[in-house]
Amino acid sequence: MPNIREIFETMEYGPAPESAAPVLRWLDERDRRFGLYIDGAWRAPVSGEFFPTINPANGQTLAQIAQADAGDVDLAVAAARAAYPAWSALSGHTRARYLYAIARHLQKKSRHFAVLETLDNGKPIRESRDIDIPLVARHFYHHAGWAALMAERLPDQAALGVIGQVIPWNFPLLMLAWKIAPALAMGNTVVLKPAESTSLTALAFAELCAEVGLPPGVLNVITGDGRTGALLTKHPGVDKIAFTGSTEVGRIIREATAGSGKKLSLELGGKSPFIVFDDADLDSVVEGVVDAIWFNQGQVCCAGSRILAHEGLAPRLIAKLKARMETLRQGDPLDKCVDLGAIIDPVQLAKIHELVERGRGEGAAVWQPTWSCPTGGSFYPPTLLTDVEPAATVAQVEIFGPVVVLLTFRTPAEAVALANNTRYGLAASVWTENINLALEIAPKLKAGTVWVNSTNLFDAAAGFGGYRESGYGREGGLEGLWEYTRPRWQAERLAARPDLPQKTSLSQDPPAPAAPAAGPACPPAIDRTPKMYIGGKQARPDAPYVIEVRSASGRRIGEVGHGTRKDLRNAVEAARASSWPRANGHLRAQILYYVAENLSARAGEFAARLHALTERGLDEGAREVEAALERLFYYAAWADKYDGQVHNVPSRNLTVALPEPLGVIGVLCPVEAPLLGFISCVAPALAMGSCVIAAPSERWPLCATDLYQVFDTSDLPAGAVNIVTGRARELAATLAAHDDVDACWSFVADDHQLSQLVERLSTGNMKRTWVDHGLGRDWFDPKQGQGEEFLRESTQVKNIWVPYGE
Amino acid sequence: MAGTRNPGMPLDLAWVHDVRENLSALERRAQSIPGRRSVKKEWQAAWLLRAITCMDLTALNGDDTPGRIHRLCAKARQPVRQDMLDALGVGDLQLHTGAVCVYHAYIEAARRALADTTIPVCAVSTGFPHGLSPLRQRIDEIKASVAAGAQEIDIVITRAHALTGDWRALYDEVAAFREACGEAHLKTILATGELATMRNVGRASLVCMMAGADFIKTSTGKEGVNAIIPVGLAMVRAIRAYRERTGVDIGFKPAGGIRWAKDALVWLAMMKDELGDPWMRAPLFRFGASSLLGDIERQLEHHITGRYSADFRHPMA
């Protein structure tokens, strides 16, 4: 060891270790062996099987963790189920007290949790101490508040029930907090499965919950590998799955839960762009890159792993980055003077190495600092890849390590195109001193979070979550609460119908036609041939076949085209090309009012058509038309009023939550109210600026096809609404699988398999789904047939962080 | 001081206007430095000793007298008790501060007190702290101070030039000061607490360097906000930019409000990471401080004895 005199000359940094002794003692006191936390008690796993958890910085075993199997999962879900009625019935204030107590205890023991996290995960103690754990406490404080405010702010929402939560290893306790805090605040009970390589802080948290007196069964922690997670996600006693992890596993979970009626939120992978314009503060950009990709060794789902630099400044930026990389310090994660710790395990390390070599093989210039990377644990040095083109593997796939690629652009438009040239859409970072440019670019980026002149900022008050294959659902803020609640009427209906959701079909075929009624006396009426409506034009089906439409009693009313894949393909292309998303709210309102005006002018005709189809009487038909008009007015009213929020985060910036149009939505419309149901699905999507591919009900599509003349006369831009008639299942299969459709809704209550089909086939691009699982809706009841739920499903929230100050 | 002096360069207004400072990003970086860089045990002791050698031990008070300046100089010559230096294994280093810093009136007293040492005398000048006396007088003040034996001159800039964006006026003023300095080294005090924005700090730093400053310095110690890390970052990045463009190394002096040993370590870590090891030594780095030394002495004694120290155990300045 050098002496003071020598150091006085060299002015080197020395070791500054945080002591692990108190935490190791804590582990020893538990015999370095942890059971499962179920129903407020610690139990050995049914299997008796344990596995080691390793310190990635030195390869040493820290403790033995229980491997939960099906029996354990059953017990945990049963405990959560048993605890649910009492917990959800507590007043918001009472739940707030529990969450507040959890937050306080976390703060009191913050160093314990920080050291334990660093030991188990390998992240630098600076990060666990200064970032992870403070955010964890903040999350519980913030959601204690939401528990107290739930009755007032979400009066028509109810808890879901038992939540199964599966979290990753990169931010073990923080992801736990993001999952548990809102779930408990809204009155749900939880079964949580931490990642098998980082279970320790979740187990310590379970201990903490016992200390604060959280009622048994409200939180259950089961440990184990992916098998345990799979058992939990498939468990029939779970009402919702919340998952953070890879897109690959998210896809498996979506498939496994399809048709089960479980609510699902997924926070998946990313390849987030980090855009540097030529007027940025370049030295601050360099520190931004440090925070973007060398935070947590780059094992961050929203890591800014793709630098998009203006071509003219790229050489300067690269030089500055290399100089900065030389001053980064990597080593023992418990050392208070390191910037990078260890990679989670040798498997991940090998994957990073392999991808970097692949990048090199594909022509990238690989640069690493001259200092030598530590050995003896899973360490990988900070790495910069230049000469990377969009076609390179390393520019497309998530590396999940301290590796950043740099590409160049010429113009702002090209920067946006490159930024969006990815399947992912979790986050983005924009660097410019020009507010005009920043605020122009931010809304154009397909990402759930956009940081202006900053990166990796998080707070409990701001929603976080992805676009595209980065998943759906938000965590944090008001927008996160919807993931843990459902409309009260649905909760009540589900309670009354324990058979739901149904997984079998009631009838696969439309009702058998009755004997044809006697034809009309001559002369015959002029034949009307409803067509498809695609891109603002009436279009014949690609394959000219027709489907007969019969009335309730079986009387033949007419025919519609039998739409196929190609009609839907055309419709999606028309929707993509539509100018509708660029129409402002006021204009969208005007056009919806105009649709109502023109429908009203033909009210008698539509009432007659409804009567002819449903044979419920002309009065009933008139009532449905009237309800449809009211609904159009309702969404016209909303078109310029569904505002975003400015979130109250603790740092000095505007954090703006923008509800953005979801994009292109495919809708399978309900049959029970052929006109009102169609309008109820299409109008909210239009009001929010999305475009729609609507499949009218298979049985009674004629009201919808009659509507295109109304649309044509109402100044609705081409492609905003596209109508494709046909067999619901065929249309659903194509729409749900289409990779350029952003969401697929199904309200065909009499065919429950459609819900399953849509959810299962949505995994290609991980599109959002909204299906009815056979629950049905009373479209005439405003609580069920309209409301903000429809607006939320028509939009996705983007949080834009704009720090300010000169 | 640095071997080769800054020759300056013509005022490059395009470069000045190109300066960008993102306040929020600077603050985030500043905030993370203490968390990222921790110096403990032997390293901490060594770094604190180094901090002493970078200190412009300062007395700039209305009630200073020749006797008080003598005490200050005695402390500059022997900043730490010899028994402590021996215990730290650096007893033979003849450790002393980087300079002493006084008003013109006490240059003579300081020079005599330091006559047999290499410790330079630094004088604040040009109508310190506000710099609003007639230009002629300010130039004459520099000349008088140099004539009286000051080897370093800390001037204050006319804040109005920076606040109104009259960079030509600032350049001309500093260039005139530099000329008046002759062989004496020129430190330009920006009084950043009165420059309103980080962009002004960055631009003023650059203009002073173009005009020939050997050092840029944050504060007089008399402004409402003195040396803070975000401002320091903006200034050292300007030094880095100037070096990248001209190859010339400019020194940096944070001054005012640096009282604690812990703060000194953060400043040193920032210099090491942003500019490199040469900027951790007196030729390119100085603290302007009066009470910092006392805390460093206490921390050093704690390192030696393991017991927390008290101020009265250390000789005062």
Side-chain angles (χ1 to χ4, degrees):
Chain A
M1 198 176 80
N3 61 32
I4 291 175
R5 197 187 175 117
E6 287 159 354
I7 303 167
F8 178 78
E9 293 305 331
T10 63
M11 290 303 284
E12 290 296 325
Y13 289 113
E18 174 75 37
S19 170
V23 169
L24 295 176
R25 201 154 52 237
W26 179 85
L27 288 170
D28 288 338
E29 283 160 11
R30 282 144 191 81
D31 297 326
R32 300 214 174 211
R33 197 175 179 81
F34 290 85
L36 308 168
Y37 185 72
I38 296 174
D39 206 16
W42 294 94
R43 296 163 186 269
V46 171
S47 66
E49 201 186 312
F50 287 81
F51 60 91
T53 189
I54 308 286
N55 177 348
N58 59 20
Q60 287 170 8
T61 297
L62 288 166
Q64 297 293 323
I65 305 294
Q67 172 68 40
D69 70 9
D72 302 305
V73 176
D74 283 343
L75 283 173
V77 172
R81 177 60 59 198
Y84 175 69
W87 178 253
S88 56
L90 288 178
S91 73
H93 171 68
T94 309
R95 286 202 304 274
R97 286 192 180 199
Y98 283 109
L99 291 172
Y100 178 75
I102 289 172
R104 297 291 279 191
H105 276 241
L106 278 162
Q107 276 189 322
K108 280 185 273 191
K109 300 180 165 194
S110 59
R111 193 55 55 88
H112 173 77
F113 278 98
V115 172
L116 185 61
E117 194 78 299
T118 285
L119 281 174
D120 206 14
N121 165 278
K123 67 174 64 202
I125 184 72
R126 175 192 80 90
E127 294 179 9
S128 53
R129 180 196 64 200
D130 295 350
I131 300 171
D132 290 38
I133 308 301
L135 277 172
V136 169
R138 161 89 181 129
H139 228 79
F140 280 98
Y141 277 123
H142 182 77
H143 284 90
W146 279 124
L149 297 177
M150 182 183 179
E152 193 178 320
R153 291 295 304 276
L154 296 90
D156 294 327
Q157 296 289 109
L160 295 170
V162 175
I163 316 292
Q165 304 182 323
V166 180
I167 57 172
W169 46 257
N170 57 344
F171 294 90
L173 194 67
L174 184 57
M175 291 301 103
L176 171 150
W178 284 21
K179 296 279 181 291
I180 290 181
L184 297 190
M186 295 296 103
N188 304 281
T189 56
V190 168
V191 179
L192 176 105
K193 192 205 83 78
E196 74 259 38
S197 49
T198 55
S199 306
L200 287 175
T201 46
L203 295 164
F205 180 81
E207 224 177 58
L208 180 147
C209 287
E211 279 165 23
V212 305
L214 192 71
V218 171
L219 169 69
N220 306 276
V221 177
I222 54 171
T223 50
D225 57 19
R227 291 171 294 172
T228 312
L231 287 165
L232 181 59
T233 55
K234 285 180 194 150
H235 199 287
V238 171
D239 296 292
K240 176 203 164 86
I241 295 294
F243 171 77
T244 296
S246 70
T247 296
E248 184 191 351
V249 175
R251 196 164 266 141
I252 293 168
I253 292 175
R254 170 70 289 179
E255 274 174 22
T257 55
S260 67
K262 287 188 183 99
K263 209 172 153 90
L264 182 64
S265 53
L266 300 172
E267 201 267 89
L268 308 174
K271 187 79 179 176
S272 297
F274 184 105
I275 307 170
V276 187
F277 289 103
D278 61 357
D279 62 348
D281 170 2
L282 217 48
D283 289 306
S284 289
V285 166
V286 170
E287 294 306 324
V289 174
V290 172
D291 288 337
I293 193 68
W294 296 309
F295 173 51
N296 203 21
Q297 297 74 244
Q299 303 167 127
V300 183
C301 49
C302 54
S305 52
R306 235 172 2 123
I307 300 173
L308 305 176
H310 181 260
E311 198 172 317
L313 71 71
R316 276 174 68 212
L317 177 60
I318 291 169
K320 278 180 179 287
L321 274 173
K322 288 178 177 175
R324 180 68 178 94
M325 289 166 78
E326 291 286 12
T327 65
L328 289 171
R329 306 190 79 242
Q330 186 166 27
D332 177 6
L334 275 175
D335 192 315
K336 288 177 273 191
C337 201
V338 306
D339 299 304
L340 287 96
I343 301 297
I344 186 70
D345 58 31
V347 177
Q348 183 64 21
L349 182 68
K351 192 190 134 197
I352 296 167
H353 182 76
E354 186 189 311
L355 278 167
V356 170
E357 289 315 308
R358 186 133 164 216
R360 198 194 303 273
E362 290 176 8
V366 177
W367 197 88
Q368 293 172 337
T370 55
W371 44 263
S372 58
C373 183
T375 52
S378 295
F379 291 95
Y380 196 88
T383 303
L384 170 68
L385 269 58
T386 52
D387 298 337
V388 174
E389 309 306 334
T393 308
V394 287
Q396 296 171 52
V397 306
E398 187 177 35
I399 297 174
F400 226 65
V403 181
V404 67
V405 302
L406 188 145
L407 298 83
T408 62
F409 64 84
R410 297 166 296 172
T411 62
E414 190 172 68
V416 170
L418 283 165
N420 290 339
N421 186 208
T422 170
R423 295 178 183 198
Y424 296 113
L426 195 50
S429 192
V430 180
W431 294 78
T432 169
E433 290 298 293
N434 179 350
I435 191 169
N436 301 308
L437 182 59
L439 295 185
E440 186 202 342
I441 298 298
K444 290 181 175 170
L445 298 172
K446 300 289 181 196
T449 299
V450 177
W451 292 293
V452 174
N453 292 323
S454 54
T455 190
N456 281 340
L457 300 180
F458 310 101
D459 185 61
F464 182 87
Y467 280 33
R468 295 182 171 168
E469 291 184 35
S470 291
Y472 31 77
R474 293 291 178 268
E475 296 183 298
L478 178 64
E479 55 262 43
L481 303 180
W482 307 112
E483 304 301 326
Y484 288 99
T485 58
R486 59 163 58 98
R488 191 168 295 285
W489 69 265
Q490 276 180 17
E492 284 161 5
R493 185 173 293 189
L494 277 167
R497 292 275 309 274
D499 57 315
L500 289 172
Q502 293 216 356
K503 289 162 196 96
T504 54
S505 171
L506 293 181
S507 101
Q508 196 153 349
D509 303 309
C522 37
I526 295 175
D527 183 70
R528 277 180 73 186
T529 308
K531 301 196 181 70
M532 313 281 173
Y533 184 60
I534 293 173
K537 293 195 177 72
Q538 300 180 30
R540 291 198 172 79
D542 180 74
Y545 288 98
V546 292
I547 298 173
E548 269 193 353
V549 179
R550 290 177 181 274
S551 72
S553 67
R555 201 159 51 83
R556 188 174 171 286
I557 307 290
E559 292 157 340
V560 291
H562 186 155
T564 61
R565 304 169 52 81
K566 292 191 177 165
D567 299 302
L568 287 170
R569 176 201 62 191
N570 297 344
V572 172
E573 276 168 21
R576 275 286 163 224
S578 177
S579 65
W580 184 245
R582 294 189 293 280
N584 63 45
H586 174 69
L587 180 61
R588 296 199 299 266
Q590 280 193 308
I591 288 175
L592 285 170
Y593 283 127
Y594 200 13
V595 170
E597 182 185 328
N598 288 322
L599 176 59
S600 164
R602 294 168 61 175
E605 176 198 329
F606 275 85
R609 178 67 105 179
L610 284 164
H611 168 58
L613 290 166
T614 64
E615 293 166 344
R616 291 169 188 155
L618 264 178
D619 286 355
E620 266 308 297
R623 187 172 84 98
E624 185 169 340
V625 174
E626 196 52 40
L629 292 172
E630 192 175 331
R631 197 132 293 165
L632 283 164
F633 260 60
Y634 174 82
Y635 287 114
W638 266 119
D640 61 352
K641 295 177 191 64
Y642 192 59
D643 298 330
Q645 275 191 296
V646 179
H647 284 311
N648 196 338
V649 301
S651 48
R652 189 188 63 212
N653 51 254
L654 281 174
T655 303
V656 185
L658 286 184
E660 294 193 325
L662 194 47
V664 174
I665 303 176
V667 186
L668 296 142
C669 297
V671 65
E672 55 272 23
L675 177 66
L676 178 60
F678 182 92
I679 294 290
S680 298
C681 295
V682 170
L686 287 179
M688 295 296 101
S690 284
C691 297
V692 184
I693 319 294
S697 79
E698 181 174 329
R699 188 176 182 195
W700 288 328
L702 286 173
C703 281
T705 51
D706 292 345
L707 270 174
Y708 59 64
Q709 288 182 345
V710 174
F711 293 142
D712 270 342
T713 52
S714 307
D715 296 341
L716 189 69
V721 177
N722 305 275
I723 302 172
V724 177
T725 52
R727 300 287 181 207
R729 287 200 178 177
E730 292 173 25
L731 300 179
T734 300
L735 276 175
H738 198 303
D739 282 344
D740 208 16
V741 170
D742 298 296
C744 189
W745 302 351
S746 170
F747 291 104
V748 186
D750 64 353
D751 184 357
H752 310 308
Q753 282 190 357
L754 265 186
S755 296
Q756 199 261 357
L757 181 80
V758 166
E759 288 186 339
R760 185 166 51 79
L761 294 180
S762 70
T763 55
N765 66 345
M766 297 305 284
K767 65 173 63 62
R768 267 166 69 176
T769 58
W770 187 28
V771 300
D772 135 302
H773 293 297
L775 197 59
R777 268 172 206 265
D778 178 353
W779 294 97
F780 286 88
D781 177 357
K783 280 249 190 271
Q784 301 183 23
Q786 68 183 33
E788 284 191 61
E789 186 187 12
F790 287 79
L791 304 180
R792 285 196 298 276
E793 293 291 347
S794 302
T795 51
Q796 51 193 342
V797 178
K798 170 186 285 177
N799 273 266
I800 303 176
W801 295 63
V802 190
Y804 57 86
E806 173 63 40
Chain B
M1 294 301 254
T4 50
R5 295 189 61 186
N6 176 19
M9 60 177 278
L11 178 65
D12 182 343
L13 278 174
W15 185 6
V16 173
H17 286 131
D18 207 32
V19 167
R20 293 186 172 84
E21 307 288 349
N22 189 283
L23 177 66
S24 298
L26 283 166
E27 287 175 344
R28 268 196 308 280
R29 166 70 174 142
Q31 204 178 19
S32 88
I33 292 173
R36 285 182 185 275
R37 294 292 178 260
S38 190
V39 184
K40 299 291 179 197
K41 299 193 188 302
E42 282 76 10
W43 284 267
Q44 187 179 95
W47 279 47
L48 291 177
L49 290 170
R50 178 55 74 187
I52 291 171
T53 69
C54 294
M55 199 177 291
D56 285 359
L57 196 62
T58 301
L60 295 171
N61 307 296
D63 57 359
D64 289 335
T65 60
R68 157 76 173 131
I69 298 307
H70 279 132
R71 287 206 320 245
L72 184 79
C73 293
K75 193 68 182 166
R77 301 164 67 119
Q78 180 76 50
V80 178
R81 285 187 349 238
Q82 187 59 38
D83 64 297
M84 284 171 55
L85 293 176
D86 291 340
L88 292 166
V90 292
D92 59 339
L93 272 185
Q94 298 192 318
L95 194 81
H96 57 76
T97 67
V100 294
C101 181
V102 296
Y103 275 114
H104 172 81
Y106 299 110
I107 296 171
E108 178 62 22
R111 205 176 54 79
R112 269 192 277 115
L114 297 172
D116 55 342
T117 72
T118 57
I119 304 172
V121 174
C122 162
V124 297
S125 192
T126 66
F128 182 96
H130 295 111
L132 292 174
S133 42
L135 179 63
R136 195 66 253 159
Q137 282 182 24
R138 283 181 278 152
I139 291 171
D140 288 346
E141 187 185 357
I142 293 174
K143 288 180 174 165
S145 293
V146 173
Q151 290 148 280
E152 301 177 8
I153 302 291
D154 285 16
I155 64 99
V156 289
I157 66 164
T158 300
R159 278 69 125 181
H161 294 333
L163 291 171
T164 58
D166 193 349
W167 304 113
R168 167 61 62 188
L170 179 62
Y171 178 88
D172 290 345
E173 174 183 270
V174 174
F177 294 161
R178 166 67 195 268
E179 197 189 340
C181 280
E183 290 304 305
H185 284 237
L186 172 67
K187 304 198 197 101
T188 55
I189 303 174
L190 305 185
T192 56
E194 292 176 352
L195 293 190
T197 67
M198 284 292 177
R199 210 185 298 238
N200 280 346
V201 170
R203 287 174 173 171
S205 299
L206 208 50
V207 171
C208 287
M209 291 186 283
M210 289 172 179
D214 296 295
F215 259 72
I216 53 176
K217 174 176 170 184
T218 60
S219 320
T220 64
K222 315 288 187 190
E223 291 86 49
V225 178
N226 293 300
I228 54 173
I229 295 283
V231 163
L233 269 176
M235 293 175 73
V236 301
R237 286 173 178 180
I239 291 172
R240 189 164 64 198
Y242 191 77
R243 181 176 200 265
E244 283 166 6
R245 190 89 58 112
T246 66
V248 177
D249 295 343
I250 305 295
F252 177 60
K253 178 175 173 184
I258 304 172
R259 294 195 179 84
W260 309 108
K262 205 171 162 185
D263 297 338
L265 296 174
V266 173
W267 282 102
L268 281 169
M270 183 190 87
M271 299 311 293
K272 182 174 174 73
D273 284 6
E274 292 284 332
L275 282 172
D277 290 354
W279 274 267
M280 301 174 86
R281 287 172 163 77
L284 288 171
F285 182 64
R286 299 286 177 82
F287 290 106
S290 43
S291 61
L292 171 65
L293 179 56
D295 192 49
I296 290 180
E297 289 173 273
R298 283 197 298 273
Q299 300 313 319
L300 288 172
E301 190 171 37
H302 173 243
H303 176 78
I304 295 163
T305 65
R307 303 188 309 275
Y308 289 109
S309 180
D311 56 0
F312 59 80
R313 297 169 61 86
H314 306 281
M316 60 190 282

